[in-house]
Amino acid sequence: SMRRFKMSVYKKLSEARVMLQSMPLKKSGHNKFAGYNYFELGDFLPAVNTIFNKCGICDVISFDNDFATLTIVDIESGGKIEFKSPMALAALKGCHPVQNLGASQTYLRRYLWTTAMGIVEQEAPSHEEIVQAAVDANIDSLQYIRRMLSDATADNISFAREAFKEMDETTQRQLWVAPSKCSTAFFTTEERRLIKGA
C-alpha cells in the first residue's frame, strides 16, 4: 500500500539521523566576526552519504526560481520526503552574479541538510551581543582609551591608538562599529575619528 511506502522512508531517515548523531563530526566553518564555528557541508556530507547508502535512501537537491528542495527517496519503495526553503540570493560584494548564485546554493544546501538530518547548530549571536561581549572583555583598555581621548593632546591620542592596536584583530573589528550601526557600540563617532587620525 501507498501508506507503507511513505512509512518506510520516514523510518529510514529517522535511522539515518540516529546513526549520524553517533558520529564524531567536527565543525570546520568559522565566522571570524562573531567568533563561532559551524558545520560546513564537507563536515557531514561524506558521513551522510555512507549512512544513506547503508539505509537504502538517496537524496536529490533541486533549485528553481522560488525554492531550493532536498528530496530524500527510499530506493526500494520510491517513497519520498521533501524539505523546502525559499530561494534567497547572497549579495557578496564585488562578486559576479554566478558566484552569488553559487554562494546561495551552498548556503541553502547546508541549511536543507542541517534541517533534514536534525543537525543542531549553536545559535549565531546577534551583532549587538558580539559587540557587547567585546566591550565587556576589554573594558579596562577601552576606559583607558576614552580617558586619553577626553584630553586629546597629541601624546594622549598616540597612547590611545597604541592601546587600541594592542588588541587582536578580531576584537578591533568587533569594536570598530559606528554607533549608528549598533546600539552596543562603545566608541563615539568623534573617538573613532581621533583613533583613526583622519
Side-chain angles (χ1 to χ4, degrees):
S1 77
M2 204 50 221
R3 182 163 162 70
R4 210 186 76 247
F5 283 174
K6 199 97 176 118
M7 279 313 294
S8 75
V9 67
Y10 281 97
K11 187 169 185 296
K12 288 178 175 183
L13 178 59
S14 154
E15 282 164 8
R17 283 177 174 175
V18 171
M19 287 162 83
L20 187 66
Q21 271 171 22
S22 66
M23 298 180 96
L25 300 176
K26 284 215 164 36
K27 295 180 178 182
S28 66
H30 183 65
N31 181 311
K32 259 203 172 117
F33 180 83
Y36 68 94
N37 296 331
Y38 59 89
F39 286 115
E40 286 189 356
L41 285 168
D43 297 332
F44 59 82
L45 264 192
V48 169
N49 291 336
T50 304
I51 292 167
F52 273 28
N53 194 34
K54 276 195 191 124
C55 294
I57 47 183
C58 77
D59 63 277
V60 185
I61 288 200
S62 62
F63 299 96
D64 64 22
N65 287 336
D66 302 314
F67 287 97
T69 309
L70 166 61
T71 309
I72 293 170
V73 184
D74 183 334
I75 294 162
E76 294 154 60
S77 72
K80 30 174 93 126
I81 306 175
E82 274 190 354
F83 294 89
K84 272 183 180 291
S85 168
M87 278 300 280
L89 267 187
L92 305 177
K93 288 186 184 79
C95 275
H96 191 276
V98 174
Q99 287 172 304
N100 278 327
L101 181 62
S104 303
Q105 290 185 346
T106 301
Y107 181 84
L108 287 164
R109 280 179 72 202
R110 195 178 76 82
Y111 173 77
L112 289 168
W113 273 117
T114 53
T115 305
M117 296 311 292
I119 294 169
V120 182
E121 293 270 31
Q122 69 190 81
E123 271 298 298
S126 75
H127 190 243
E128 269 75 14
E129 287 168 335
I130 293 157
V131 173
Q132 187 60 58
V135 170
D136 293 344
N138 297 280
I139 195 65
D140 293 342
S141 302
L142 290 171
Q143 283 170 343
Y144 168 79
I145 291 170
R146 178 157 283 164
R147 269 201 313 280
M148 292 301 111
L149 296 177
S150 67
D151 177 21
T153 62
D155 275 352
N156 284 356
I157 291 170
S158 81
F159 292 145
R161 265 182 217 152
E162 278 310 300
F164 185 72
K165 283 198 191 107
E166 276 169 17
M167 297 183 214
D168 67 88
E169 267 179 57
T170 302
T171 304
Q172 287 181 31
R173 231 192 340 267
Q174 290 167 352
L175 293 169
W176 200 253
V177 290
S180 61
K181 291 245 165 50
C182 178
S183 65
T184 55
F186 181 83
F187 292 121
T188 63
T189 307
E190 176 60 11
E191 286 169 338
R192 288 168 84 230
R193 193 184 63 74
L194 289 168
I195 293 169
K196 199 172 180 187

